[in-house]
Amino acid sequence: MVGPSGVGKDTLIDGAKSRTGPDVVFPRREITRPAESGGEDHVAVTEIDFDRREPQGAYALSWKAHGLGYGIPVAIEERLTQGRTVVANVSRSVLDEARARFPSLVIVSVRAAPDVLRSRLVARGRENAEDIDARVQRAMAFEIFGPDVVELWNDGSPEDAVESFLGILTAT
């Protein structure tokens, strides 16, 4: 799953978790921010630990963005070998690597209209108006292409978006 900040990726993942069985796995990302900082449920790691673990192969995919390190645990590879579906929130910067490593990859590109995105970012309260405007502008330029891409527009209710997401998971 990819999409700009504030588009609702965590809401979709949280909504789908309770409605899928054991064949769908939602790994917790390792992030170099404190666990109590809010946002998604993640495994907090220090920058030192992240920088040590990354070259040791602890992550199936990893990247740095907005001053933080993010890693998807390598354990997903075993889950995929077992035939499970793995749902992970990743950066578009690792999509080429993901495509090369995971041939059955389906990319869910989550999108939202600019006004919807802006209101969500304002409600989140993490950034000032200038930063929000910059995020919205980047989001409008955010497009992922390819036969492995399914777009999910998250402009309506969270319930409707989760239903659409579950439909995508069922179809793959």
Side-chain angles (χ1 to χ4, degrees):
M1 176 179 289
V2 295
S5 183
V7 80
K9 298 178 302 287
D10 291 334
T11 298
L12 294 172
I13 288 172
D14 290 344
K17 279 182 184 177
S18 64
R19 301 198 37 209
T20 55
D23 287 340
V24 181
V25 178
F26 299 87
R28 289 171 63 206
R29 299 193 296 183
E30 291 190 13
I31 306 176
T32 58
R33 74 173 167 221
E36 63 277 356
S37 64
E40 74 180 271
D41 179 25
H42 67 282
V43 176
V45 295
T46 66
E47 287 183 42
I48 293 169
D49 286 341
F50 182 87
D51 290 342
R52 179 182 49 79
R53 291 173 50 73
E54 189 177 33
Q56 291 175 346
Y59 305 119
L61 297 168
S62 61
W63 64 96
K64 292 194 175 181
H66 309 292
L68 299 171
Y70 296 81
I72 305 296
V74 74
I76 69 163
E77 294 174 359
E78 181 180 341
R79 305 300 180 266
L80 291 168
T81 301
Q82 296 167 346
R84 293 178 166 175
T85 298
V86 174
V87 178
N89 175 357
V90 302
S91 168
R92 62 184 159 178
S93 68
V94 297
L95 287 182
D96 288 340
E97 179 184 357
R99 284 172 161 147
R101 292 188 63 194
F102 308 110
S104 61
L105 179 74
V106 174
I107 299 167
V108 178
S109 177
V110 184
R111 312 277 311 266
D115 58 327
V116 171
L117 186 58
R118 179 174 275 101
S119 68
R120 289 178 185 163
L121 292 170
V122 168
R124 206 166 64 171
R126 292 186 202 160
E127 299 154 316
N128 64 36
E130 185 178 309
D131 291 339
I132 289 171
D133 287 342
R135 279 197 183 269
V136 170
Q137 287 178 2
R138 280 194 308 273
M140 294 310 97
F142 182 94
E143 288 194 58
I144 306 296
F145 298 100
D148 55 357
V149 177
V150 177
E151 277 195 347
L152 191 160
W153 282 87
N154 186 10
D155 288 340
S157 74
E159 296 80 15
D160 289 344
V162 169
E163 285 300 321
S164 295
F165 182 47
L166 289 168
I168 293 168
L169 288 177
T170 302
T172 57

